[in-house]
């Protein structure tokens, strides 16, 4: 078999795998959209073709629930978490990448060990911590435990290690300190890493259900996943309303991905996560 034939066969196998994975993601999405556009009485039918498509489930969700308020809470919490993760992760990574101190590599390996620890293990101590600070039922209770992330430190350190040190040496000769170099030189160059960390943190915070469900009981500050969980319980067997609320809750994330997909790819490629 010639090299060209092998290459064509490899490309076809890759295309087949990509199509299979695309179908695995698209079929549930199309099924949810199909269910949301049906009247509740027809949602139990197994046909894909809609006889009487209607937006009634979407209008009922917007009218009868507080989903717009949940959007505001999720947007504020996710933005606060993303900004905090970028600041803390970049500062920690800058120290690990540029400062020289004893056991620096050991500290970095301890940070990386945080990636291996499931977040569920920390739920009880974090809940008691938020309770002792009197932060339950506040935005801070949801955001603070999600800000220090090991993956953010890893992404920033990988990026900082690839930056030429000559830029900093020139700035240091002009009298600039570490914080000024970090703010004026390092962070402007690290925009792909900033975008990757911010987007990943934003999406993770927006989709998080377990932790906000534990620390939030006030309906006025519920996030979208927590609110949708209560709606699903109250709707009972109204599958059209349930699917409509789920689709509405996912629209902001789809918009974020479409707007910043180029930044996501550049951030992953620039930090070495692609390999």
């Amino acid at each position: 078999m010639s090299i060209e034939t092998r290459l064509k066969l490899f490309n076809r196998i890759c295309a087949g795998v990509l199509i299979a994975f695309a179908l695995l993601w698209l079929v549930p999405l199309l099924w949810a959209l199909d269910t949301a556009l049906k009247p509740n009485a027809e949602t139990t039918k197994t046909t894909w073709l809609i006889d009487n498509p209607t937006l009634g489930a979407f209008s009922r969700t917007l009218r009868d629930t507080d989903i717009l308020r949940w959007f505001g809470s999720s947007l504020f919490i996710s933005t606060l978490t993303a900004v905090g993760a970028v600041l803390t992760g970049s500062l920690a990574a800058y120290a690990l990448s540029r400062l020289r101190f004893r056991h620096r590599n050991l500290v970095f390996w301890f940070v990386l060990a945080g990636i291996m620890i499931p977040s569920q293990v920390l739920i009880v101590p974090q809940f008691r911590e938020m309770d002792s600070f009197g932060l339950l039922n506040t935005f801070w209770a949801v955001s603070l435990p999600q800000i220090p992330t090991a993956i953010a430190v890893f992404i920033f350190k990988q990026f900082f290690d690839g930056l030429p040190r000559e830029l900093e040496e020139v700035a240091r000769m002009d009298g600039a300190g570490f914080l000024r170099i970090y703010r004026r030189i390092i962070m402007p160059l690290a925009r792909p890493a900033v975008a990757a960390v911010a987007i990943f943190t934003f999406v993770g915070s927006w989709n998080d259900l377990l932790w906000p469900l534990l620390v939030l009981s006030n309906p006025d500050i519920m996030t979208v996943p927590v609110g949708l969980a209560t709606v699903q319980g109250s709707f009972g067997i109204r599958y059209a309303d349930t699917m409509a609320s789920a689709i509405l809750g996912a629209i902001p994330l789809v918009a974020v991905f479409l707007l910043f997909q180029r930044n996501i790819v550049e951030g992953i490629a620039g930090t070495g996560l692609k390999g």
Side-chain angles (χ1 to χ4, degrees):
M1 185 180 295
S2 64
I3 296 178
E4 291 183 356
T5 304
R6 292 181 181 179
L7 183 60
K8 289 181 179 178
L9 179 61
F10 178 75
N11 289 336
R12 288 176 181 175
I13 292 174
C14 291
V17 172
L18 288 176
I19 292 173
F21 274 99
L23 290 176
L24 284 175
W25 284 97
L26 285 177
V27 169
L29 180 62
L30 293 176
W31 180 82
L33 182 62
D34 176 75
T35 303
L37 293 175
K38 289 179 179 177
N40 274 306
E42 298 181 10
T43 54
T44 55
K45 295 180 179 179
T46 56
T47 57
W48 278 89
L49 297 177
I50 307 172
D51 295 330
N52 301 306
T54 175
L55 296 176
F58 291 95
S59 62
R60 284 193 300 274
T61 301
L62 293 172
R63 184 187 64 232
D64 300 337
T65 68
D66 293 327
I67 193 168
L68 296 180
R69 183 181 296 174
W70 302 335
F71 275 135
S73 297
S74 286
L75 180 63
F76 179 77
I77 291 172
S78 301
T79 303
L80 179 66
T81 306
V83 172
V86 168
L87 287 176
T88 58
S90 60
L91 283 171
Y94 182 58
L96 290 170
S97 177
R98 291 298 192 265
L99 300 184
R100 294 291 179 265
F101 53 89
R102 292 184 63 187
H103 308 306
R104 186 184 60 159
N105 291 332
L106 183 62
V107 172
F108 181 58
W109 283 110
F110 269 116
V111 173
L112 291 185
I115 300 176
M116 313 298 176
I117 300 175
S119 59
Q120 292 82 359
V121 175
L122 304 175
I123 280 181
V124 173
Q126 286 179 340
F127 182 86
R128 297 188 64 177
E129 189 178 23
M130 293 298 109
D131 187 24
S132 64
F133 291 154
L135 295 177
L136 294 181
N137 268 321
T138 66
F139 292 137
W140 293 107
V142 184
S143 182
L144 281 178
Q146 301 182 70
I147 286 178
T149 57
I151 189 66
V153 178
F154 175 75
I155 290 175
F156 276 116
K157 185 176 183 305
Q158 292 294 101
F159 193 89
F160 293 162
D161 287 344
L163 294 178
R165 297 175 183 271
E166 289 77 9
L167 295 173
E168 300 169 59
E169 293 174 357
V170 172
R172 197 168 291 116
M173 292 175 64
D174 290 339
F178 281 107
L179 287 179
R180 186 178 175 187
I181 294 173
Y182 161 83
R183 183 165 52 90
R184 295 289 184 86
I185 298 177
I186 298 297
M187 292 307 288
L189 293 174
R191 286 177 182 172
V194 171
V197 171
I199 292 170
F200 289 152
T201 308
F202 184 92
V203 173
S205 177
W206 185 284
N207 286 328
D208 191 19
L209 170 63
L210 181 59
W211 178 248
L213 191 63
L214 290 174
V215 298
L216 293 181
S217 58
N218 185 353
D220 294 336
I221 58 174
M222 281 183 176
T223 60
V224 171
V226 177
L228 293 181
T230 60
V231 167
Q232 188 174 6
S234 62
F235 281 166
I237 59 173
R238 292 163 59 182
Y239 296 116
D241 295 27
T242 303
M243 289 298 104
S245 59
I247 291 173
L248 288 174
I251 286 177
L253 295 184
V254 175
V256 168
F257 175 77
L258 293 178
L259 288 173
F260 299 104
Q261 57 179 326
R262 183 176 179 182
N263 299 88
I264 295 174
V265 174
E266 289 180 353
I268 293 174
T271 53
L273 293 182
K274 62 181 179 178

